[in-house]
Amino acid sequence: MSLAVEARLGTIVVGKNQPHFPNGFLFNDPDHLDSQTDSPLMRLSLQHPLTGQAMARCAFVVRDGVGYSPAAAPFGSIEFGEDVSPDELIYFVDALVEEVRQAGCQRIRLVNYPNCYAPTQTNRLIYALTESGFNLVANTPTQYVPVSDAPLTTRMHPSERQRLRKAQRAGLVASRWDNPCVETVVKHIQKGRAQQGYPLTIQSEYLSRLLRQFSHEFPVFVVRDGDSIAALCVCVRVRYDILYTFLPVSHPDYRTLSPMVLLIDHLYQYSQHTGIDLLDLGTSLDSNREHKPSLAQFKQNMGAVESPKLTFELKLM
């Protein structure tokens, strides 16, 4: 690459010591990347020629001849700022493909963040990836609630408003669980998922580590009936303005009181008071990772709308 091109488009930085990327997604931040895998991670970014900050970044891990981004998180892919030009983005995509090729991979797989997280960037990234030969191989939509000044009840279906009132009349109380006992949280999630017939999609040891290492970014919310836990949810502050419901579970004894309705309403109120603009209720999948219409309908009844979450692949010759 010529010095003139580098001066115009920026410098590709490869390796552990990456320039700072301001206001990025947690799953692409260095500390969280370090927690995702014990295997070597390949990291690269596009560094601004004047500010020295990263304009775009991506990290991938190599498994069986395939470059995966993320290594172990809901998403990874290429993250970039709004002011990155089309030429700079294509330049970075090409650099990423070459880095994957140099790592000996035959294929690269990128799991994008939901479109709603960064609509302008996502649309531009889809175009850049398509122009570079990537193919769309999966779409696992997420459902999210835009946070406004209005109460969530204005978006809810009447049936969910009725369930909310029923839970409140029964004396259930939702709150953030400050300084939770990590072992109690993990055991409750394990038990709740097993009772619902869902496998735990994250190793319990890794979940415990995340709750300890990223206690601020992984807040725990709970619905209590006195001293009993009726529902619980580990959330993720994915970015300063995005809250993701990561691991929600309800106790089967409280099914008739629908504590999850109360919990989601509380998460929405929490979002209103903490500068969160988007409450992501996650994908609607069954125990076989297939679309579950009843779960999707519940989230829709709570006021959520759907957003694509795309996965792209490129075969390298």
Side-chain angles (χ1 to χ4, degrees), residues 212-225:
R212 289 190 174 95
Q213 184 177 352
F214 302 99
S215 57
H216 178 72
E217 293 84 1
F218 279 73
V220 179
F221 296 85
V222 65
V223 175
R224 296 186 185 275
D225 177 18

Side-chain angles (χ1 to χ4, degrees), residues 33-42 59-73 100 103-109 111 203 206 313:
L33 288 172
D34 287 340
S35 78
Q36 291 179 23
T37 180
D38 293 328
S39 301
L41 266 173
M42 308 296 293
F60 65 92
V61 65
V62 178
R63 299 193 187 102
D64 300 322
V66 180
Y68 292 98
S69 180
V100 173
C105 297
Q106 291 82 49
R107 183 161 49 96
I108 179 173
R109 182 181 179 90
V111 180
Q203 291 185 350
Y206 183 40
E313 285 191 1

Side-chain angles (χ1 to χ4, degrees), residues 16 23 45 52 71 100 103 111 135 138 192 200 211 217 238 240 275 288 298:
K16 178 79 171 179
N23 296 324
S45 60
V100 173
V111 180
N135 294 309
L200 190 59
L211 288 170
E217 293 84 1
V238 181
Y240 69 94
N288 296 316
F298 166 69

Side-chain angles (χ1 to χ4, degrees), residues 35 181-194 198-213 218 234 246-247:
S35 78
C181 173
V182 170
E183 289 79 8
T184 300
V185 172
V186 173
K187 287 180 181 178
H188 192 86
I189 290 173
Q190 287 177 314
K191 183 178 179 180
R193 301 281 287 193
Y198 285 87
L200 190 59
T201 56
I202 179 174
Q203 291 185 350
S204 58
E205 295 82 4
Y206 183 40
L207 176 58
S208 297
R209 183 148 48 98
L210 289 174
L211 288 170
R212 289 190 174 95
Q213 184 177 352
F218 279 73
V234 174
F246 180 36
L247 288 170

